Structure formats: C-alpha cells, structure tokens
Amino acid sequence: MSGPKIEFWYEFASSYSYLSVMRIEALARDAGVAVEWKPFLLGPVFLAMGWNDSPFNIYPPKGRYMWRDLARLANKYGLPFRVPSRFPRSGLLAARLALLGVEQGWVAEFSRKVMLANFAEDREIGEPEVIGAILADLGLPVDDSLAAAVTEDNKRALRRQTELAAELGMFGAPSFRVGDELFWGNDRLEDALAWALK
Amino acid sequence: MSGPKIEFWYEFASSYSYLSVMRIEALARDAGVAVEWKPFLLGPVFLAMGWNDSPFNIYPPKGRYMWRDLARLANKYGLPFRVPSRFPRSGLLAARLALLGVEQGWVAEFSRKVMLANFAEDREIGEPEVIGAILADLGLPVDDSLAAAVTEDNKRALRRQTELAAELGMFGAPSFRVGDELFWGNDRLEDALAWALK
C-alpha cells in the first residue's frame, strides 16, 4: 500500500465536487493512483472566512457564472446535469454515511448516487428518505446504516475531518492532497493525479 | 474580420492574468482565433462585491494557496515566476497605456513585458519610471505615450471599459468572452478558444 495515492476532499453540497466525484475513480484507475475519499463539510470552513452561505449565493455574479460553467463542463464530460431548485442542500447526513462507506468499501458508488440525486435529479439529499433510497439501491441495510451514521463516534469523526480540512489549508471543495501538496478545484484533478506519479 | 475571435479581459495586478497574458497569443494563433485585448481594473469590480482589497489578501488560506498554485502552473507552462514583494500592485497606469497599445498595435508585447516586470522581476509596475522603461524597450516615445495615457478621453475610456466588464457579468480576471459566452480564469483559456471555433 505504498504506491501513488491521492486524498480526495469533497462536500455533497458542492457543485464542483459533483464533477470530481463522478470523474475521479476512472481517472485514478487509469493513472494507477489509489484514492482516499475524505468527505467533509464546507459550512464550518466557510464560516471561518466570514461566509454564512455559499459564496455563489453571497456573490450573485459568481453564482450566475458558476451554473453556466457547470452546465458547460458537465456537457464536456458527458455527465447529466440540472440546476438544482435548492442550493446548497445539506450534505451532513450524506457525509456521515460516506464516512461509514469508506470503512465498508462502498463510498465511491454511494457518493456518485448522492451527487446525481443532487445535481442531476434535483432530489433533497438532506432528507433521510432520499439517502435511505440510495442505501437500499446499493443493497445496504437502510435503518442500521442511518442509525450508525448518527452515533456520537461517527458524528465526532466527521467534525474532526472537517477541522482537519481547515488545518490543512483547505478553503473550498473539491480539494486534493498529494503528500503535503494541495490542489483546489475540479480543474486540478488531472494535475493532482500527475503529481502523485512524480 | 468575421472569423473566430475572443475577447480577453485582464488586469495587470492579477496573478492569474499573468499566465493568460503570456499564453494567449501563441494559443490563439495556433487555433486561428483573433484576440481582442480588453484591459480593465478589478478594483471597482471587487468593491461592488464588498472587497476593498484582493480576495487573496482578505482570505489568507486562499492567498497562500494561490501563490503555490501559481508557482506550479508557471513551472508547467515554462514561465518565469517570483512571488512579488508587493501584492496587488496598481495596474492603473499600465491599463491606460494598454488601451493606447490596442489602438496602435503594441498591446500584446507591452502587456507581456509589464506582467513579467510584476510577476517575474518584482518591479513596481505602478511607477511611471518602470512603465517608461518598458515603453522605451518597445521603441515607443516615452513622454508622449505617458502623456497620452492620462488625457481625459483615455482615462474615461478605461473607466467605461471597467464598467462594461461588470455589466457583462465579470467578477474576476482573466475573463474571456466569445459572443455572449463568459469564461473565467486562466484555466478556461483553452475552453474559450475551442468555443470560438464552434
């Protein structure tokens, strides 16, 4: 397990994280780079910068541009996309489950389904019913998984991961780390993978 | 003059504009796309979003990341780079001169020299002496050019161009326009050129 690897830090509410969640597994496999999935929450990171909402909502010109940019990029990558009727949606429950998925080996597929629900199917990923349907779709025990997501240990683990993101210098998502090298944004996924192979 | 073309909106104080100023002419020539150089000022655009300084200074984690990212990208593109001892430097005088350069056909070479002075040579591009030396280097009449830069007409033209940038939805630099399509950031230069060829 000492081959090339990349840490992938993402948030289910984040529009550009959607693109990277959908792209990273195939790109990393082709490159021969292992991916460590690191779900975290942007809310506390943004609050530390003085933002109590997504900067795409706080700064309307940035927001208008982002949705157009995202539509163009989704088209370029061949990904489905629909502007969600609510933004941002809470990624809290999904992130808690994704932490379990890391331990249990289903994080990649779970993350893709949640992201598609948010950014292609306009579904309320903050709701347990929507996340439950995704868990069922993956053949996972719905009630047990939802219960395991909200244990004190698991809630603490997500808080700790979010604090760590800020300590490591992150200020947005997606972010990638290769050793101590930080890369920010879906645009840097290919550069980060290349760095892992140096 | 109805072939493919791209508008290139940039600011001499902007670190990522440096990369695009250095790259755009060769890439556009290879693609067969004409470039319209549109120098403008970010200051008023940022003020309208509530920022009285570069967001890279207001948000330290973003700033720390940006300088590392810029060093990596400069290396990738084979461009010289040194973190400037002052940031941002005023791009006002250089932008006024660049407007003259658009009319007189020397904007591309002038812009590259100013950007190199700021981001590779750590020179004070806000100072008339530094800009004057660049004009002399280009074989241009220094005193006449500096005088022409600060006529009321030319000052008004730059104010108008800056207002237009905001009206067109711009919120940062570099930005590219192809028809009504807006692209933001050095990362989008290739996509914008491809769009111009659609």
mmCIF file of all heavy atoms in Angstrom, chain A residues 49 51 59 61-62 65 68-69 72-73 76 171 181-184 187-188 191 195, chain B residues 49 51 59 61-62 65 68-69 72-73 76 171 181-184 187-188 191 195:
data_model
loop_
_atom_site.group_PDB
_atom_site.id
_atom_site.type_symbol
_atom_site.label_atom_id
_atom_site.label_comp_id
_atom_site.label_asym_id
_atom_site.label_seq_id
_atom_site.Cartn_x
_atom_site.Cartn_y
_atom_site.Cartn_z
ATOM 1 N N MET A 49 -14.247 31.933 7.227
ATOM 2 C CA MET A 49 -13.853 33.013 6.316
ATOM 3 C C MET A 49 -14.899 34.129 6.316
ATOM 4 O O MET A 49 -14.800 35.079 5.526
ATOM 5 C CB MET A 49 -13.655 32.445 4.918
ATOM 6 C CG MET A 49 -12.586 31.341 4.902
ATOM 7 S SD MET A 49 -11.604 31.257 3.407
ATOM 8 C CE MET A 49 -12.766 30.489 2.318
ATOM 9 N N TRP A 51 -18.254 33.696 5.779
ATOM 10 C CA TRP A 51 -19.401 33.438 4.899
ATOM 11 C C TRP A 51 -20.391 32.536 5.616
ATOM 12 O O TRP A 51 -20.043 31.428 6.028
ATOM 13 C CB TRP A 51 -18.953 32.739 3.612
ATOM 14 C CG TRP A 51 -17.979 33.522 2.793
ATOM 15 C CD1 TRP A 51 -17.873 34.883 2.696
ATOM 16 C CD2 TRP A 51 -16.945 32.981 1.936
ATOM 17 N NE1 TRP A 51 -16.855 35.219 1.830
ATOM 18 C CE2 TRP A 51 -16.273 34.076 1.352
ATOM 19 C CE3 TRP A 51 -16.555 31.694 1.594
ATOM 20 C CZ2 TRP A 51 -15.215 33.913 0.465
ATOM 21 C CZ3 TRP A 51 -15.508 31.519 0.713
ATOM 22 C CH2 TRP A 51 -14.843 32.628 0.151
ATOM 23 N N TYR A 59 -22.337 36.153 -3.599
ATOM 24 C CA TYR A 59 -21.882 36.987 -4.718
ATOM 25 C C TYR A 59 -22.617 36.556 -5.994
ATOM 26 O O TYR A 59 -22.156 35.660 -6.715
ATOM 27 C CB TYR A 59 -20.370 36.865 -4.891
ATOM 28 C CG TYR A 59 -19.622 37.158 -3.612
ATOM 29 C CD1 TYR A 59 -18.991 36.146 -2.900
ATOM 30 C CD2 TYR A 59 -19.581 38.454 -3.092
ATOM 31 C CE1 TYR A 59 -18.322 36.417 -1.704
ATOM 32 C CE2 TYR A 59 -18.928 38.726 -1.900
ATOM 33 C CZ TYR A 59 -18.299 37.708 -1.216
ATOM 34 O OH TYR A 59 -17.657 37.979 -0.035
ATOM 35 N N PRO A 61 -22.975 37.533 -9.133
ATOM 36 C CA PRO A 61 -22.320 37.310 -10.440
ATOM 37 C C PRO A 61 -21.528 35.999 -10.460
ATOM 38 O O PRO A 61 -21.504 35.296 -11.474
ATOM 39 C CB PRO A 61 -21.397 38.527 -10.594
ATOM 40 C CG PRO A 61 -21.984 39.582 -9.708
ATOM 41 C CD PRO A 61 -22.572 38.826 -8.543
ATOM 42 N N LYS A 62 -20.882 35.652 -9.338
ATOM 43 C CA LYS A 62 -20.163 34.379 -9.273
ATOM 44 C C LYS A 62 -21.142 33.204 -9.403
ATOM 45 O O LYS A 62 -20.838 32.208 -10.048
ATOM 46 C CB LYS A 62 -19.415 34.239 -7.932
ATOM 47 C CG LYS A 62 -18.143 35.043 -7.838
ATOM 48 C CD LYS A 62 -17.442 34.808 -6.500
ATOM 49 C CE LYS A 62 -16.488 33.648 -6.515
ATOM 50 N NZ LYS A 62 -15.151 33.981 -7.019
ATOM 51 N N TYR A 65 -22.488 32.826 -13.003
ATOM 52 C CA TYR A 65 -21.440 32.234 -13.832
ATOM 53 C C TYR A 65 -21.248 30.756 -13.524
ATOM 54 O O TYR A 65 -21.102 29.928 -14.421
ATOM 55 C CB TYR A 65 -20.113 32.980 -13.621
ATOM 56 C CG TYR A 65 -18.976 32.281 -14.329
ATOM 57 C CD1 TYR A 65 -18.825 32.410 -15.707
ATOM 58 C CD2 TYR A 65 -18.097 31.453 -13.646
ATOM 59 C CE1 TYR A 65 -17.815 31.744 -16.376
ATOM 60 C CE2 TYR A 65 -17.086 30.777 -14.306
ATOM 61 C CZ TYR A 65 -16.951 30.932 -15.672
ATOM 62 O OH TYR A 65 -15.968 30.251 -16.333
ATOM 63 N N ARG A 68 -23.676 28.341 -15.226
ATOM 64 C CA ARG A 68 -23.415 28.218 -16.659
ATOM 65 C C ARG A 68 -22.145 27.402 -16.897
ATOM 66 O O ARG A 68 -22.091 26.536 -17.770
ATOM 67 C CB ARG A 68 -23.284 29.614 -17.280
ATOM 68 C CG ARG A 68 -22.952 29.609 -18.747
ATOM 69 C CD ARG A 68 -24.057 28.974 -19.571
ATOM 70 N NE ARG A 68 -23.645 28.781 -20.951
ATOM 71 C CZ ARG A 68 -24.020 27.742 -21.689
ATOM 72 N NH1 ARG A 68 -24.823 26.801 -21.213
ATOM 73 N NH2 ARG A 68 -23.612 27.635 -22.939
ATOM 74 N N ASP A 69 -21.112 27.681 -16.095
ATOM 75 C CA ASP A 69 -19.849 26.958 -16.218
ATOM 76 C C ASP A 69 -20.066 25.466 -15.945
ATOM 77 O O ASP A 69 -19.545 24.607 -16.657
ATOM 78 C CB ASP A 69 -18.840 27.546 -15.215
ATOM 79 C CG ASP A 69 -17.419 27.053 -15.434
ATOM 80 O OD1 ASP A 69 -16.960 27.044 -16.594
ATOM 81 O OD2 ASP A 69 -16.767 26.685 -14.448
ATOM 82 N N ARG A 72 -21.695 23.765 -18.867
ATOM 83 C CA ARG A 72 -20.740 23.523 -19.963
ATOM 84 C C ARG A 72 -19.811 22.367 -19.637
ATOM 85 O O ARG A 72 -19.510 21.527 -20.489
ATOM 86 C CB ARG A 72 -19.891 24.788 -20.201
ATOM 87 C CG ARG A 72 -20.596 25.899 -20.955
ATOM 88 C CD ARG A 72 -19.599 26.978 -21.414
ATOM 89 N NE ARG A 72 -18.734 27.445 -20.355
ATOM 90 C CZ ARG A 72 -18.653 28.723 -19.943
ATOM 91 N NH1 ARG A 72 -19.386 29.667 -20.516
ATOM 92 N NH2 ARG A 72 -17.831 29.055 -18.984
ATOM 93 N N LEU A 73 -19.313 22.328 -18.390
ATOM 94 C CA LEU A 73 -18.365 21.277 -18.015
ATOM 95 C C LEU A 73 -19.048 19.911 -17.994
ATOM 96 O O LEU A 73 -18.470 18.910 -18.437
ATOM 97 C CB LEU A 73 -17.745 21.588 -16.656
ATOM 98 C CG LEU A 73 -16.790 22.788 -16.638
ATOM 99 C CD1 LEU A 73 -16.399 23.129 -15.194
ATOM 100 C CD2 LEU A 73 -15.529 22.511 -17.459
ATOM 101 N N LYS A 76 -19.220 18.769 -21.403
ATOM 102 C CA LYS A 76 -17.892 18.359 -21.878
ATOM 103 C C LYS A 76 -17.525 16.970 -21.362
ATOM 104 O O LYS A 76 -16.912 16.165 -22.079
ATOM 105 C CB LYS A 76 -16.879 19.402 -21.384
ATOM 106 C CG LYS A 76 -15.412 19.131 -21.654
ATOM 107 C CD LYS A 76 -14.584 20.373 -21.280
ATOM 108 C CE LYS A 76 -13.166 20.050 -20.872
ATOM 109 N NZ LYS A 76 -12.385 21.276 -20.583
ATOM 110 N N PHE A 171 -9.970 25.618 1.799
ATOM 111 C CA PHE A 171 -10.921 26.725 1.863
ATOM 112 C C PHE A 171 -12.057 26.520 0.880
ATOM 113 O O PHE A 171 -12.886 27.415 0.679
ATOM 114 C CB PHE A 171 -10.193 28.040 1.547
ATOM 115 C CG PHE A 171 -9.407 27.955 0.278
ATOM 116 C CD1 PHE A 171 -10.010 28.220 -0.933
ATOM 117 C CD2 PHE A 171 -8.076 27.549 0.277
ATOM 118 C CE1 PHE A 171 -9.297 28.105 -2.119
ATOM 119 C CE2 PHE A 171 -7.351 27.434 -0.903
ATOM 120 C CZ PHE A 171 -7.978 27.717 -2.101
ATOM 121 N N GLU A 181 1.134 18.449 -0.733
ATOM 122 C CA GLU A 181 0.775 19.355 -1.829
ATOM 123 C C GLU A 181 -0.741 19.438 -1.958
ATOM 124 O O GLU A 181 -1.423 18.425 -2.076
ATOM 125 C CB GLU A 181 1.397 18.814 -3.122
ATOM 126 C CG GLU A 181 1.614 19.830 -4.206
ATOM 127 C CD GLU A 181 2.773 20.783 -3.905
ATOM 128 O OE1 GLU A 181 3.709 20.383 -3.164
ATOM 129 O OE2 GLU A 181 2.749 21.912 -4.407
ATOM 130 N N LEU A 182 -1.272 20.680 -1.933
ATOM 131 C CA LEU A 182 -2.718 20.898 -2.001
ATOM 132 C C LEU A 182 -3.117 21.393 -3.393
ATOM 133 O O LEU A 182 -2.456 22.261 -3.964
ATOM 134 C CB LEU A 182 -3.117 21.939 -0.951
ATOM 135 C CG LEU A 182 -4.603 22.303 -0.846
ATOM 136 C CD1 LEU A 182 -5.450 21.107 -0.414
ATOM 137 C CD2 LEU A 182 -4.787 23.473 0.122
ATOM 138 N N PHE A 183 -4.194 20.822 -3.903
ATOM 139 C CA PHE A 183 -4.764 21.255 -5.183
ATOM 140 C C PHE A 183 -6.233 21.559 -4.950
ATOM 141 O O PHE A 183 -6.936 20.773 -4.322
ATOM 142 C CB PHE A 183 -4.637 20.157 -6.241
ATOM 143 C CG PHE A 183 -3.226 19.796 -6.596
ATOM 144 C CD1 PHE A 183 -2.515 18.897 -5.813
ATOM 145 C CD2 PHE A 183 -2.608 20.348 -7.710
ATOM 146 C CE1 PHE A 183 -1.203 18.561 -6.130
ATOM 147 C CE2 PHE A 183 -1.305 20.017 -8.033
ATOM 148 C CZ PHE A 183 -0.597 19.117 -7.240
ATOM 149 N N TRP A 184 -6.703 22.686 -5.455
ATOM 150 C CA TRP A 184 -8.088 23.086 -5.229
ATOM 151 C C TRP A 184 -8.860 23.129 -6.535
ATOM 152 O O TRP A 184 -8.416 23.741 -7.494
ATOM 153 C CB TRP A 184 -8.140 24.468 -4.577
ATOM 154 C CG TRP A 184 -9.519 25.044 -4.498
ATOM 155 C CD1 TRP A 184 -10.636 24.446 -3.962
ATOM 156 C CD2 TRP A 184 -9.958 26.322 -4.982
ATOM 157 N NE1 TRP A 184 -11.729 25.274 -4.077
ATOM 158 C CE2 TRP A 184 -11.335 26.438 -4.697
ATOM 159 C CE3 TRP A 184 -9.309 27.382 -5.624
ATOM 160 C CZ2 TRP A 184 -12.081 27.562 -5.034
ATOM 161 C CZ3 TRP A 184 -10.055 28.506 -5.946
ATOM 162 C CH2 TRP A 184 -11.423 28.582 -5.647
ATOM 163 N N ASP A 187 -10.864 21.523 -11.606
ATOM 164 C CA ASP A 187 -9.890 21.814 -12.675
ATOM 165 C C ASP A 187 -8.505 21.248 -12.375
ATOM 166 O O ASP A 187 -7.679 21.164 -13.282
ATOM 167 C CB ASP A 187 -9.739 23.329 -12.862
ATOM 168 C CG ASP A 187 -11.009 23.963 -13.401
ATOM 169 O OD1 ASP A 187 -11.717 23.307 -14.184
ATOM 170 O OD2 ASP A 187 -11.284 25.116 -13.029
ATOM 171 N N ARG A 188 -8.219 20.955 -11.117
ATOM 172 C CA ARG A 188 -6.879 20.494 -10.761
ATOM 173 C C ARG A 188 -6.802 18.972 -10.580
ATOM 174 O O ARG A 188 -5.754 18.464 -10.189
ATOM 175 C CB ARG A 188 -6.400 21.155 -9.459
ATOM 176 C CG ARG A 188 -6.114 22.635 -9.560
ATOM 177 C CD ARG A 188 -4.857 22.937 -10.333
ATOM 178 N NE ARG A 188 -4.688 24.370 -10.497
ATOM 179 C CZ ARG A 188 -5.324 25.085 -11.428
ATOM 180 N NH1 ARG A 188 -6.139 24.488 -12.292
ATOM 181 N NH2 ARG A 188 -5.131 26.383 -11.497
ATOM 182 N N ASP A 191 -4.017 17.479 -12.706
ATOM 183 C CA ASP A 191 -2.698 17.908 -12.214
ATOM 184 C C ASP A 191 -2.335 17.168 -10.923
ATOM 185 O O ASP A 191 -1.172 16.787 -10.723
ATOM 186 C CB ASP A 191 -2.673 19.416 -11.938
ATOM 187 C CG ASP A 191 -2.550 20.243 -13.222
ATOM 188 O OD1 ASP A 191 -2.411 19.639 -14.306
ATOM 189 O OD2 ASP A 191 -2.597 21.479 -13.134
ATOM 190 N N TRP A 195 0.790 14.712 -10.231
ATOM 191 C CA TRP A 195 1.724 14.967 -9.129
ATOM 192 C C TRP A 195 1.973 13.684 -8.326
ATOM 193 O O TRP A 195 3.090 13.415 -7.872
ATOM 194 C CB TRP A 195 1.173 16.061 -8.211
ATOM 195 C CG TRP A 195 2.194 16.712 -7.349
ATOM 196 C CD1 TRP A 195 2.639 16.279 -6.134
ATOM 197 C CD2 TRP A 195 2.935 17.903 -7.641
ATOM 198 N NE1 TRP A 195 3.589 17.131 -5.648
ATOM 199 C CE2 TRP A 195 3.796 18.143 -6.546
ATOM 200 C CE3 TRP A 195 2.950 18.798 -8.716
ATOM 201 C CZ2 TRP A 195 4.668 19.238 -6.502
ATOM 202 C CZ3 TRP A 195 3.808 19.881 -8.664
ATOM 203 C CH2 TRP A 195 4.650 20.089 -7.578
ATOM 204 N N MET B 49 -18.457 44.024 -4.935
ATOM 205 C CA MET B 49 -18.757 42.774 -4.222
ATOM 206 C C MET B 49 -18.409 42.897 -2.735
ATOM 207 O O MET B 49 -18.501 41.912 -1.989
ATOM 208 C CB MET B 49 -17.997 41.618 -4.865
ATOM 209 C CG MET B 49 -18.369 41.473 -6.347
ATOM 210 S SD MET B 49 -18.325 39.783 -6.951
ATOM 211 C CE MET B 49 -16.569 39.564 -7.121
ATOM 212 N N TRP B 51 -15.389 43.929 -1.495
ATOM 213 C CA TRP B 51 -13.970 43.687 -1.190
ATOM 214 C C TRP B 51 -13.173 44.963 -1.469
ATOM 215 O O TRP B 51 -13.178 45.478 -2.571
ATOM 216 C CB TRP B 51 -13.401 42.566 -2.074
ATOM 217 C CG TRP B 51 -14.079 41.254 -1.902
ATOM 218 C CD1 TRP B 51 -14.686 40.765 -0.779
ATOM 219 C CD2 TRP B 51 -14.225 40.222 -2.905
ATOM 220 N NE1 TRP B 51 -15.191 39.518 -1.018
ATOM 221 C CE2 TRP B 51 -14.926 39.144 -2.312
ATOM 222 C CE3 TRP B 51 -13.824 40.102 -4.238
ATOM 223 C CZ2 TRP B 51 -15.239 37.978 -2.991
ATOM 224 C CZ3 TRP B 51 -14.135 38.939 -4.926
ATOM 225 C CH2 TRP B 51 -14.826 37.891 -4.306
ATOM 226 N N TYR B 59 -8.678 36.759 2.325
ATOM 227 C CA TYR B 59 -8.828 35.379 2.783
ATOM 228 C C TYR B 59 -7.471 34.672 2.722
ATOM 229 O O TYR B 59 -7.096 34.110 1.683
ATOM 230 C CB TYR B 59 -9.860 34.640 1.924
ATOM 231 C CG TYR B 59 -11.186 35.372 1.866
ATOM 232 C CD1 TYR B 59 -11.596 36.015 0.709
ATOM 233 C CD2 TYR B 59 -12.006 35.443 2.989
ATOM 234 C CE1 TYR B 59 -12.808 36.716 0.668
ATOM 235 C CE2 TYR B 59 -13.203 36.137 2.965
ATOM 236 C CZ TYR B 59 -13.605 36.769 1.794
ATOM 237 O OH TYR B 59 -14.787 37.464 1.761
ATOM 238 N N PRO B 61 -6.059 31.826 3.632
ATOM 239 C CA PRO B 61 -5.841 30.481 3.067
ATOM 240 C C PRO B 61 -5.904 30.482 1.536
ATOM 241 O O PRO B 61 -5.132 29.772 0.873
ATOM 242 C CB PRO B 61 -6.989 29.646 3.670
ATOM 243 C CG PRO B 61 -7.384 30.374 4.915
ATOM 244 C CD PRO B 61 -7.181 31.831 4.593
ATOM 245 N N LYS B 62 -6.801 31.288 0.974
ATOM 246 C CA LYS B 62 -6.860 31.382 -0.488
ATOM 247 C C LYS B 62 -5.574 31.981 -1.041
ATOM 248 O O LYS B 62 -5.079 31.563 -2.084
ATOM 249 C CB LYS B 62 -8.040 32.267 -0.925
ATOM 250 C CG LYS B 62 -9.394 31.609 -0.855
ATOM 251 C CD LYS B 62 -10.501 32.552 -1.337
ATOM 252 C CE LYS B 62 -10.732 32.494 -2.822
ATOM 253 N NZ LYS B 62 -11.654 31.428 -3.225
ATOM 254 N N TYR B 65 -2.619 29.510 -0.860
ATOM 255 C CA TYR B 65 -2.781 28.505 -1.916
ATOM 256 C C TYR B 65 -2.463 29.090 -3.288
ATOM 257 O O TYR B 65 -1.790 28.462 -4.103
ATOM 258 C CB TYR B 65 -4.209 27.951 -1.908
ATOM 259 C CG TYR B 65 -4.457 27.045 -3.084
ATOM 260 C CD1 TYR B 65 -3.973 25.736 -3.072
ATOM 261 C CD2 TYR B 65 -5.102 27.495 -4.225
ATOM 262 C CE1 TYR B 65 -4.158 24.904 -4.170
ATOM 263 C CE2 TYR B 65 -5.289 26.677 -5.320
ATOM 264 C CZ TYR B 65 -4.810 25.377 -5.286
ATOM 265 O OH TYR B 65 -4.978 24.559 -6.374
ATOM 266 N N ARG B 68 1.216 29.234 -4.258
ATOM 267 C CA ARG B 68 1.773 27.907 -4.561
ATOM 268 C C ARG B 68 1.246 27.390 -5.906
ATOM 269 O O ARG B 68 1.991 26.848 -6.715
ATOM 270 C CB ARG B 68 1.408 26.939 -3.421
ATOM 271 C CG ARG B 68 1.874 25.514 -3.634
ATOM 272 C CD ARG B 68 3.384 25.425 -3.690
ATOM 273 N NE ARG B 68 3.833 24.103 -4.094
ATOM 274 C CZ ARG B 68 4.901 23.873 -4.854
ATOM 275 N NH1 ARG B 68 5.652 24.882 -5.279
ATOM 276 N NH2 ARG B 68 5.246 22.654 -5.181
ATOM 277 N N ASP B 69 -0.061 27.593 -6.117
ATOM 278 C CA ASP B 69 -0.679 27.159 -7.376
ATOM 279 C C ASP B 69 -0.028 27.879 -8.549
ATOM 280 O O ASP B 69 0.275 27.268 -9.588
ATOM 281 C CB ASP B 69 -2.179 27.468 -7.316
ATOM 282 C CG ASP B 69 -2.972 26.834 -8.447
ATOM 283 O OD1 ASP B 69 -2.781 25.625 -8.706
ATOM 284 O OD2 ASP B 69 -3.800 27.531 -9.056
ATOM 285 N N ARG B 72 3.373 26.448 -9.349
ATOM 286 C CA ARG B 72 3.256 25.166 -10.062
ATOM 287 C C ARG B 72 2.855 25.371 -11.514
ATOM 288 O O ARG B 72 3.395 24.727 -12.425
ATOM 289 C CB ARG B 72 2.199 24.280 -9.380
ATOM 290 C CG ARG B 72 2.641 23.605 -8.106
ATOM 291 C CD ARG B 72 1.647 22.513 -7.671
ATOM 292 N NE ARG B 72 0.269 22.980 -7.627
ATOM 293 C CZ ARG B 72 -0.509 22.963 -6.547
ATOM 294 N NH1 ARG B 72 -0.061 22.471 -5.392
ATOM 295 N NH2 ARG B 72 -1.747 23.390 -6.614
ATOM 296 N N LEU B 73 1.876 26.271 -11.746
ATOM 297 C CA LEU B 73 1.395 26.489 -13.108
ATOM 298 C C LEU B 73 2.461 27.156 -13.972
ATOM 299 O O LEU B 73 2.645 26.792 -15.140
ATOM 300 C CB LEU B 73 0.119 27.335 -13.089
ATOM 301 C CG LEU B 73 -1.117 26.633 -12.518
ATOM 302 C CD1 LEU B 73 -2.263 27.632 -12.345
ATOM 303 C CD2 LEU B 73 -1.564 25.473 -13.404
ATOM 304 N N LYS B 76 4.732 24.554 -15.017
ATOM 305 C CA LYS B 76 4.104 23.700 -16.037
ATOM 306 C C LYS B 76 4.132 24.356 -17.407
ATOM 307 O O LYS B 76 4.353 23.699 -18.426
ATOM 308 C CB LYS B 76 2.659 23.428 -15.594
ATOM 309 C CG LYS B 76 1.771 22.677 -16.558
ATOM 310 C CD LYS B 76 0.445 22.324 -15.860
ATOM 311 C CE LYS B 76 -0.714 22.191 -16.820
ATOM 312 N NZ LYS B 76 -1.958 21.758 -16.135
ATOM 313 N N PHE B 171 -16.511 39.205 -12.726
ATOM 314 C CA PHE B 171 -16.271 39.358 -11.287
ATOM 315 C C PHE B 171 -14.820 39.013 -10.950
ATOM 316 O O PHE B 171 -14.439 38.956 -9.775
ATOM 317 C CB PHE B 171 -17.217 38.433 -10.507
ATOM 318 C CG PHE B 171 -17.181 37.014 -11.007
ATOM 319 C CD1 PHE B 171 -16.251 36.129 -10.501
ATOM 320 C CD2 PHE B 171 -18.031 36.593 -12.020
ATOM 321 C CE1 PHE B 171 -16.179 34.832 -10.981
ATOM 322 C CE2 PHE B 171 -17.964 35.292 -12.511
ATOM 323 C CZ PHE B 171 -17.040 34.411 -11.985
ATOM 324 N N GLU B 181 -20.894 34.315 -24.452
ATOM 325 C CA GLU B 181 -20.453 33.264 -23.537
ATOM 326 C C GLU B 181 -19.249 33.760 -22.730
ATOM 327 O O GLU B 181 -18.254 34.205 -23.290
ATOM 328 C CB GLU B 181 -20.071 32.029 -24.361
ATOM 329 C CG GLU B 181 -20.139 30.726 -23.629
ATOM 330 C CD GLU B 181 -21.572 30.272 -23.351
ATOM 331 O OE1 GLU B 181 -22.477 30.642 -24.131
ATOM 332 O OE2 GLU B 181 -21.775 29.555 -22.362
ATOM 333 N N LEU B 182 -19.362 33.663 -21.396
ATOM 334 C CA LEU B 182 -18.310 34.143 -20.499
ATOM 335 C C LEU B 182 -17.525 32.971 -19.925
ATOM 336 O O LEU B 182 -18.119 31.963 -19.512
ATOM 337 C CB LEU B 182 -18.950 34.948 -19.366
ATOM 338 C CG LEU B 182 -18.005 35.558 -18.321
ATOM 339 C CD1 LEU B 182 -17.080 36.596 -18.937
ATOM 340 C CD2 LEU B 182 -18.826 36.174 -17.176
ATOM 341 N N PHE B 183 -16.209 33.109 -19.907
ATOM 342 C CA PHE B 183 -15.324 32.111 -19.295
ATOM 343 C C PHE B 183 -14.434 32.848 -18.306
ATOM 344 O O PHE B 183 -13.859 33.881 -18.637
ATOM 345 C CB PHE B 183 -14.455 31.426 -20.360
ATOM 346 C CG PHE B 183 -15.232 30.639 -21.377
ATOM 347 C CD1 PHE B 183 -15.785 31.266 -22.474
ATOM 348 C CD2 PHE B 183 -15.405 29.267 -21.231
ATOM 349 C CE1 PHE B 183 -16.509 30.549 -23.421
ATOM 350 C CE2 PHE B 183 -16.118 28.539 -22.159
ATOM 351 C CZ PHE B 183 -16.672 29.181 -23.264
ATOM 352 N N TRP B 184 -14.291 32.293 -17.123
ATOM 353 C CA TRP B 184 -13.500 32.956 -16.085
ATOM 354 C C TRP B 184 -12.282 32.111 -15.710
ATOM 355 O O TRP B 184 -12.411 30.936 -15.399
ATOM 356 C CB TRP B 184 -14.347 33.181 -14.829
ATOM 357 C CG TRP B 184 -13.564 33.669 -13.656
ATOM 358 C CD1 TRP B 184 -12.733 34.749 -13.625
ATOM 359 C CD2 TRP B 184 -13.510 33.092 -12.347
ATOM 360 N NE1 TRP B 184 -12.179 34.884 -12.375
ATOM 361 C CE2 TRP B 184 -12.650 33.878 -11.572
ATOM 362 C CE3 TRP B 184 -14.138 31.973 -11.761
ATOM 363 C CZ2 TRP B 184 -12.366 33.595 -10.249
ATOM 364 C CZ3 TRP B 184 -13.861 31.698 -10.435
ATOM 365 C CH2 TRP B 184 -12.984 32.503 -9.684
ATOM 366 N N ASP B 187 -7.620 28.934 -16.316
ATOM 367 C CA ASP B 187 -7.970 27.525 -16.580
ATOM 368 C C ASP B 187 -8.950 27.369 -17.737
ATOM 369 O O ASP B 187 -9.104 26.264 -18.246
ATOM 370 C CB ASP B 187 -8.610 26.893 -15.335
ATOM 371 C CG ASP B 187 -7.632 26.777 -14.183
ATOM 372 O OD1 ASP B 187 -6.441 26.541 -14.430
ATOM 373 O OD2 ASP B 187 -8.072 26.913 -13.022
ATOM 374 N N ARG B 188 -9.664 28.426 -18.093
ATOM 375 C CA ARG B 188 -10.683 28.315 -19.141
ATOM 376 C C ARG B 188 -10.207 28.828 -20.504
ATOM 377 O O ARG B 188 -10.983 28.879 -21.448
ATOM 378 C CB ARG B 188 -11.951 29.074 -18.747
ATOM 379 C CG ARG B 188 -12.731 28.478 -17.594
ATOM 380 C CD ARG B 188 -13.459 27.201 -17.991
ATOM 381 N NE ARG B 188 -14.094 26.626 -16.820
ATOM 382 C CZ ARG B 188 -13.442 25.882 -15.900
ATOM 383 N NH1 ARG B 188 -12.153 25.589 -16.058
ATOM 384 N NH2 ARG B 188 -14.084 25.411 -14.856
ATOM 385 N N ASP B 191 -10.701 26.232 -23.230
ATOM 386 C CA ASP B 191 -12.131 26.014 -23.489
ATOM 387 C C ASP B 191 -12.737 27.189 -24.264
ATOM 388 O O ASP B 191 -13.575 26.984 -25.151
ATOM 389 C CB ASP B 191 -12.911 25.849 -22.164
ATOM 390 C CG ASP B 191 -12.727 24.466 -21.551
ATOM 391 O OD1 ASP B 191 -12.060 23.604 -22.172
ATOM 392 O OD2 ASP B 191 -13.255 24.241 -20.441
ATOM 393 N N TRP B 195 -14.479 27.152 -27.893
ATOM 394 C CA TRP B 195 -15.833 27.673 -28.094
ATOM 395 C C TRP B 195 -15.875 28.611 -29.304
ATOM 396 O O TRP B 195 -16.842 28.622 -30.070
ATOM 397 C CB TRP B 195 -16.295 28.408 -26.831
ATOM 398 C CG TRP B 195 -17.779 28.573 -26.751
ATOM 399 C CD1 TRP B 195 -18.532 29.571 -27.298
ATOM 400 C CD2 TRP B 195 -18.705 27.695 -26.077
ATOM 401 N NE1 TRP B 195 -19.861 29.378 -27.008
ATOM 402 C CE2 TRP B 195 -20.002 28.246 -26.260
ATOM 403 C CE3 TRP B 195 -18.580 26.513 -25.339
ATOM 404 C CZ2 TRP B 195 -21.151 27.643 -25.727
ATOM 405 C CZ3 TRP B 195 -19.724 25.930 -24.808
ATOM 406 C CH2 TRP B 195 -20.988 26.487 -25.011
#
